[in-house]
Amino acid sequence: MRALVWDGTGLHVDSTIEVRPPGPGEVAVDIAMAGLCHSDVSPMEGRIPQPTPAVLGHEAVGVVSAAGPGADVPVGQRVVLTVLRRCGECRHCREGRPTSCSASGRPVPSPFSRDGEVVHQFVRLGAFAERIVVAGEQVIAMPAEIPDPVAAMLGCATVTAFGAVEDRARLRAGESVLVTGAGGIGLNTILAARAAGAGPIVVVDRNPAKERIARTCGATDFIVPPDPSRIAPAVQALVPGGVDAAFECAGHTGLLDAAVRSLAGGGRVVVLGLPPTGATLDLEVRALFQDKSLLGCRMGSVDPHRKLPDLAARVLRGELDLTPLVSAVVPAQDAARLVDDLRNGRIDRGFLRFGSTS
């Protein structure tokens, strides 16, 4: 089987990877397409720990090709993936809040191997492969009418952003918004803010080339700051008194501090970006006075089995158009070029083709 393997120094196609059959409650999924997210690049940059060799990737669409005993997913079902492998029994799972389940982030034995040695599975998925094995609760049915790139993006970038805006921040029509970082998550966040009727929507990114796509998604203002300390004054000049909600999508603590300083009274900051492991925030506590809030957010703070079907229905009704974000689709062997394009801001959302479902 072919898979993209990160060995600690490079990302390359390996045709000698083996994947075991699905066990009880598990399914095998033949991957059609996987999105390249900044989270997939983080292990390569040393921002998060990851044992090697490893199959990276976590945002993908495919077809169930086999089911283990007790797995209630039909073979042939088109699905998107979720990193959440919840226990289903704790209070958080019973109340429909699987992102708070302590078991959902625990490591599980990898289904991948090579020459009898373990090949690790990134975030319980390892979607950069022709076939993967995951728990049955990690797959969610996806309508055939939705194109592969859009379907894949729904499973991570879109559900995270729309959950953060609609469920975590509970953004209301007419509220003002700041988005820091116009990558895949940030652009989806702009779309979600526009869908919620927010305005103005101020976007910050160090790459001036991002302004066009940011405005296409709904940004009303775009700032390229010389450094994070200049962001809050610039935002306050555009939105006197500060913004009602800010979404930090770049994983940069300086931007997070700037977002807090850009808030109006009663405002809230939602943290979506993935900072380096061990990163800390030197925050003036009094900055949170006047009922301001700093909110963590994991995968949109939603139940993907409820949120994803809703988002898919909105796509089918024409209420949500994600196609402007799809800037590159390449075969798996061109992954290194796609990674370089992502790192250098030349793409908005790139995708790796393994097979096809649509």
Side-chain angles (χ1 to χ4, degrees):
M1 181 195 75
R2 287 191 315 145
L4 282 171
V5 176
W6 167 249
D7 62 8
T9 59
L11 184 67
H12 60 275
V13 176
D14 191 325
S15 299
T16 66
I17 301 300
E18 297 180 351
V19 59
R20 63 167 173 78
E26 294 181 330
V27 296
V29 178
D30 288 352
I31 299 298
M33 185 170 291
L36 178 65
C37 180
H38 273 101
S39 298
D40 300 310
V41 178
S42 292
M44 305 183 213
E45 297 177 337
R47 290 168 58 88
I48 60 175
Q50 173 60 53
T52 57
V55 179
L56 302 180
H58 66 285
E59 179 183 88
V61 60
V63 173
V64 174
S65 56
D72 188 23
V73 184
V75 172
Q77 175 69 62
R78 186 180 192 233
V79 296
V80 294
L81 306 175
T82 174
V83 302
L84 296 176
R85 188 166 177 148
R86 56 188 175 184
C87 73
E89 299 176 353
C90 70
R91 173 174 59 88
H92 301 297
C93 287
R94 294 196 308 270
E95 295 175 354
R97 296 182 288 111
T99 56
S100 297
C101 171
S102 61
S104 65
R106 291 175 187 163
V108 297
S110 175
F112 301 122
S113 62
R114 181 177 57 191
D115 298 328
E117 299 294 328
V118 171
V119 176
H120 298 279
Q121 182 185 33
F122 182 57
V123 293
R124 300 161 300 282
L125 284 178
F128 291 166
E130 291 180 322
R131 175 172 291 188
I132 68 172
V133 170
V134 295
E137 66 263 23
Q138 290 181 268
V139 300
I140 300 165
M142 180 58 48
E145 297 85 353
I146 297 179
D148 283 343
V150 173
M153 188 164 30
L154 282 171
C156 176
T158 305
V159 72
T160 297
F162 275 75
V165 168
E166 297 174 348
D167 299 82
R168 192 67 169 123
R170 299 183 182 276
L171 193 68
R172 299 181 295 272
E175 289 193 306
S176 53
V177 168
L178 168 66
V179 177
T180 58
I185 297 289
L187 294 172
N188 273 277
T189 300
I190 299 167
L191 286 169
R194 181 175 67 180
I201 302 172
V202 182
V203 177
V204 171
D205 198 280
R206 63 184 180 182
N207 183 359
K210 289 286 187 176
E211 181 171 2
R212 181 193 60 80
I213 184 64
R215 290 189 180 276
T216 296
C217 291
T220 58
D221 300 275
F222 190 88
I223 300 171
V224 182
D227 61 76
S229 67
R230 305 288 292 275
I231 293 174
V235 172
Q236 298 273 354
L238 291 168
V239 188
V243 296
D244 298 302
F247 301 88
E248 204 301 287
C249 302
H252 189 293
T253 56
L255 295 178
L256 183 55
D257 179 74
V260 172
R261 296 180 183 279
S262 299
L263 289 180
R268 57 273 192 211
V269 173
V270 182
V271 184
L272 287 83
L274 184 66
T277 300
T280 60
L281 180 65
D282 185 13
L283 176 68
E284 182 183 354
V285 178
R286 289 177 65 98
L288 294 175
F289 281 21
Q290 296 178 300
D291 296 328
K292 300 175 184 178
S293 304
L294 178 59
L295 304 173
C297 182
R298 181 186 180 206
M299 297 301 296
S301 302
V302 297
D303 182 347
H305 289 269
R306 295 182 179 180
K307 193 71 173 181
L308 271 169
D310 172 68
L311 290 169
R314 290 158 75 173
V315 170
L316 292 176
R317 291 195 299 266
E319 298 171 9
L320 174 58
D321 183 11
L322 299 175
T323 55
L325 277 62
V326 180
S327 48
V329 177
V330 303
Q333 58 265 31
D334 290 343
R337 175 169 62 85
L338 200 67
V339 169
D340 186 66
D341 286 343
L342 179 67
R343 284 172 164 166
N344 290 283
R346 292 190 290 266
I347 58 173
D348 302 313
R349 203 59 164 189
F351 299 86
L352 297 163
R353 170 75 71 184
F354 289 90
S356 179
T357 68
S358 65

